[in-house]
Amino acid sequence: MRRSIATVCLSGTLDDKLTAAAAAGFDGIELFENDLLVSPMTPAEVRDRCAGLGLGIDLYQPFRDLDSVTEDRFARSLDRAERKFDVMAALGVDTVLVCSSVAADAVDDDDLAAEQLSALAERAGRRGMRIAYEALAWGRHVSTWDRSWRIVQRADHPALGLCLDSFHVLSREVSPDGIAGITPGKIFFLQLADAPHLSMDVLQWSRHHRLFPGQGAFDLPRFVELVLAAGYDGPLSLEVFNDVFRQSDPGRTAIDAMRSLIALEDGLTSRHRPDAPRVTAEIRRLPDPPELTGHAFTEFAVDGRSGPELRSALRGLGFAHTGQHRTKPVELWEQGAARIVLNSAVTHPGPAAISAFAVASADPGRSLARAGALLAPAHPNVREPGEAELAAITAPDGTSVFVTHPGDDWRADFLPTGAEPGPGAGLLAVDHLGLAQPFDHFDEAGLFYHSVLGLDHLATEEYAAPYGLMRSRAVANPSRTVRVALTVALLRRGDWAPAVADPQHVAFTTADIIATAAALDLPALPVPDNYYDDLIARFDLEAGFVATLARHGILYDRDPAGHELLHLYTPVFGGRVFFEIVERRPGYDRFGEPNAPVRMAAQRHRRLTATP
């Protein structure tokens, strides 16, 4: 199936958009009229430019407020349409999108709409062109797909069909199930967009909050299956209105867009429901994501200032410095199955940062092949002869994600220091990584980890924090041996107090957090007494138990099913990173999000009161 993208999805000039779409591998574009109007290229030059880039022009759009209008206005619309047909002929495109009317004086009359659309289709048909009629979700009278289909049926013209847009269909209350019964050949075009579930005006929801497939809450695989079951064989095309995308680098956005379509198409073949519509179209399939067995290591980039801080913190957590890299200034620290790597080979000194992490895969080759198919090609690490060959995928925030064998072959690159990884403070393994994301790439990151690594979305949470509204999105594998929590400040731009740029952390698991807390050689965060007083009231906990939590700076959460989490945090080290220790009691599958504001305020208080 062809893959297409509307130029409205991308930022820049028309040529910027065409170049980005072609570089990302799209077969075609939907040309948004405004992009043509502001371009210095003539329609014929646009056609030639697209041809030179290997792009077809699949749709010209939009033509507005044609149907259900007075006779004189309709006559003017037909004249306007003829001019658009001239433009389309020069562009070499045969299909135009006609939106349902939003005019305040539009007439609520399906017969009139059918009559007028038929007249337009007659003119289009004479010129070898087609009309794709779309019900806008905020249309004055025609706002649902089923009503637009009834009008198209009533018009009964071969040059008139439907354009189905997933946002306009799924944002309304009418079930999409009947789409599979549309007459084969009458769906002329398919537009795809995802979106979060929001309670707001549908026009504002559409104009500002659409997302690429897999980044929102719509069931797009089922929607596409229904369209394909109706015999649709045209392009899978993206039409996404999003304020961030339209300000971002078009090349990067186009890659994100293509990745979403590749993952969506693959998702159609991996659904095994008895009620799934029968799809006969040829679907391209990706290599299945292999099982991930755990976090192999987490690497921090450190310099001469942050390195000593991180070393001291790791000792305080009970880690042992067990290995030194054969050829690089890289140290291996271990406790239980938790491995931390400190890399001092930084070229731009600054705050410590999680520069890389590794996951163990049952089939690293297949993991990397899947990543490459999703436009995230692996790049080999710089190594000396005889050193382990590791391949890394670059995540949207620049973090390198290595994929290793479960056997930890990479550890052979480290010479033993003589220190053994003993029980330390009782830390067992990495529970999850917490990675704050750049504002503009939060949704891209969620799609990356879900599609490339095969991690499932667990939940998206929002909470008010001391420095603004925060959003957290968690992903994990089915066995929960690999978890990543992505966070972003929704309205934050630039750096300001608390002067921590995109904080990151590693969370370790323990079987007994109270014993671990007692064994730590690190200062506890100053969690306020007010928090613990509230715990007693909110969860009806015993005062003695809460006093023990308070003594060690341990936070508490309980989910609606009664499953519990106990966790504590360290101060921030190296300017940016901190650690978390968690005891998940059976059944708890969240990340203690209600306690994040407490942690942020406590870390801020610690920095303000720490002795220089």
Side-chain angles (χ1 to χ4, degrees):
M1 300 189 71
R2 287 172 57 80
R3 294 169 179 154
S4 187
I5 185 169
T7 56
V8 75
C9 299
L10 304 171
S11 68
T13 66
L14 179 56
D15 195 62
D16 293 333
K17 299 177 184 211
L18 299 179
T19 302
F26 282 96
D27 303 301
I29 61 159
E30 297 177 40
L31 181 55
F32 191 63
E33 185 172 61
N34 284 13
D35 287 320
L36 177 64
L37 298 183
V38 301
S39 173
M41 292 186 286
T42 67
E45 289 171 338
V46 172
R47 177 180 182 169
D48 291 343
R49 177 61 175 152
C50 287
L53 291 169
L55 294 171
I57 304 178
D58 296 321
L59 185 74
Y60 188 60
Q61 60 114 334
F63 192 90
R64 303 182 188 276
D65 293 329
L66 170 102
D67 59 301
S68 305
V69 295
T70 60
E71 185 175 342
D72 60 329
R73 284 183 57 187
F74 181 63
R76 291 197 298 273
S77 291
L78 288 179
D79 290 341
R80 180 163 52 99
E82 289 290 356
R83 293 180 179 274
K84 300 305 177 187
F85 293 156
D86 291 339
V87 172
M88 292 170 60
L91 288 167
V93 58
D94 66 359
T95 305
V96 61
L97 172 68
V98 174
C99 303
S100 62
S101 179
V102 299
D105 60 350
V107 180
D108 188 5
D109 185 335
D110 287 1
D111 287 330
L112 178 60
E115 177 186 335
Q116 293 178 342
L117 285 167
S118 180
L120 179 67
E122 179 64 24
R123 294 197 178 202
R126 292 176 195 153
R127 303 184 64 165
M129 297 176 181
R130 307 187 306 170
I131 306 300
Y133 183 54
E134 174 184 62
L136 295 178
W138 54 91
R140 183 72 176 90
H141 301 295
V142 181
S143 59
T144 60
W145 75 266
D146 58 333
R147 187 166 182 183
S148 66
W149 172 226
R150 289 194 299 270
I151 291 171
V152 167
Q153 285 178 297
R154 195 165 301 181
D156 191 24
H157 196 287
L160 177 65
L162 287 178
C163 173
L164 292 180
D165 181 309
S166 61
F167 181 86
H168 295 306
V169 174
L170 300 178
S171 64
R172 299 293 306 212
E173 66 281 358
V174 175
S175 169
D177 290 350
I179 288 173
I182 291 175
T183 303
K186 293 305 285 184
I187 301 176
F188 284 1
F189 208 77
L190 173 64
Q191 295 177 319
L192 297 170
D194 209 337
H197 286 313
L198 298 173
S199 297
M200 64 185 304
D201 174 75
V202 68
L203 176 58
Q204 296 304 311
W205 185 14
S206 172
R207 291 284 171 85
H208 302 285
H209 299 286
R210 293 199 198 194
L211 297 168
F212 292 130
Q215 297 178 344
F218 288 166
D219 188 354
L220 286 186
R222 176 166 174 76
F223 173 76
V224 174
E225 287 170 350
L226 290 167
V227 175
L228 297 182
Y232 178 75
D233 60 0
L236 298 180
S237 188
L238 298 170
E239 189 197 41
V240 174
F241 296 85
N242 181 287
D243 295 338
V244 171
F245 298 165
R246 287 189 281 182
Q247 298 179 52
S248 302
D249 171 41
R252 179 169 182 164
T253 304
I255 289 174
D256 187 28
M258 176 57 80
R259 180 178 297 139
S260 76
L261 271 188
I262 295 171
L264 174 62
E265 189 171 338
D266 180 63
L268 303 179
T269 66
S270 61
R271 296 166 67 89
H272 301 290
R273 296 190 325 270
D275 64 336
R278 183 172 179 270
V279 173
T280 59
E282 183 178 348
I283 303 298
R284 288 167 285 195
R285 185 176 179 86
L286 296 174
D288 288 334
E291 177 188 3
L292 301 181
T293 59
H295 292 272
F297 65 81
T298 306
E299 177 186 281
F300 288 94
V302 296
D303 61 12
R305 180 172 181 177
S306 61
E309 280 193 58
L310 265 293
R311 293 185 189 97
S312 177
L314 290 172
R315 291 190 192 95
L317 289 167
F319 278 80
H321 178 198
T322 60
Q324 189 70 37
H325 198 277
R326 297 174 183 274
T327 61
K328 301 174 183 138
V330 179
E331 305 166 10
L332 174 62
W333 294 71
E334 296 184 90
Q335 181 175 179
R339 286 83 175 262
I340 299 294
V341 170
L342 299 185
N343 188 344
S344 299
V346 295
T347 56
H348 300 287
I354 296 178
S355 53
F357 67 92
V359 292
S361 168
D363 187 342
R366 185 149 49 97
S367 291
L368 296 175
R370 180 180 175 87
L374 285 159
L375 308 186
H379 54 86
N381 64 319
V382 179
R383 62 190 183 95
E384 298 294 329
E387 294 178 357
E389 183 176 355
L390 292 177
I393 309 158
T394 302
D397 66 350
T399 301
S400 294
V401 182
F402 291 96
V403 181
T404 74
H405 291 278
D408 291 342
D409 296 343
W410 58 272
R411 295 182 80 252
D413 289 351
F414 290 86
L415 299 173
T417 62
E420 294 295 328
L427 304 184
L428 304 175
V430 170
D431 180 84
H432 68 272
L433 302 181
L435 303 176
Q437 298 297 300
F439 178 88
D440 289 350
H441 306 303
F442 181 72
D443 294 309
E444 179 187 358
L447 175 64
F448 172 88
Y449 286 108
H450 172 61
S451 62
V452 173
L453 294 184
L455 302 180
D456 296 327
H457 291 301
L458 298 185
T460 298
E461 304 280 348
E462 290 187 0
Y463 50 87
Y467 302 99
L469 187 65
M470 302 292 295
R471 179 176 294 161
S472 173
R473 177 174 296 158
V475 293
N477 63 342
S479 64
R480 301 299 191 262
T481 54
V482 174
R483 292 184 176 98
V484 179
L486 308 170
T487 58
V488 68
L490 296 187
L491 299 176
R492 179 173 169 186
R493 294 290 193 181
D495 295 333
W496 67 293
V500 178
D502 299 329
Q504 303 169 318
H505 79 280
V506 182
F508 305 107
T509 186
T510 179
D512 184 346
I513 195 168
I514 294 174
T516 292
L520 295 177
D521 188 20
L522 283 176
L525 281 176
V527 180
D529 291 339
N530 296 332
Y531 170 80
Y532 293 105
D533 290 341
D534 181 64
L535 279 187
I536 296 174
R538 187 155 46 106
F539 292 112
D540 194 25
L541 299 175
E542 294 183 1
F545 173 64
V546 173
T548 301
L549 299 182
R551 185 164 60 253
H552 296 292
I554 298 171
L555 306 172
Y556 177 92
D557 188 36
R558 182 194 298 161
D559 68 20
H563 307 124
E564 297 176 301
L565 172 75
L566 280 69
H567 60 146
L568 64 83
Y569 295 95
T570 71
V572 174
F573 300 107
R576 184 179 182 185
V577 301
F578 60 94
F579 300 97
E580 179 184 4
I581 299 171
V582 304
E583 179 187 338
R584 292 179 181 271
R585 298 195 169 172
Y588 189 92
D589 199 31
R590 298 170 65 178
F591 293 79
E593 293 89 350
N595 292 326
V598 181
R599 182 262 303 169
M600 295 171 73
Q603 288 175 334
R604 174 63 171 163
H605 180 72
R606 174 74 186 178
R607 289 195 297 278
L608 290 173
T609 58
T611 302

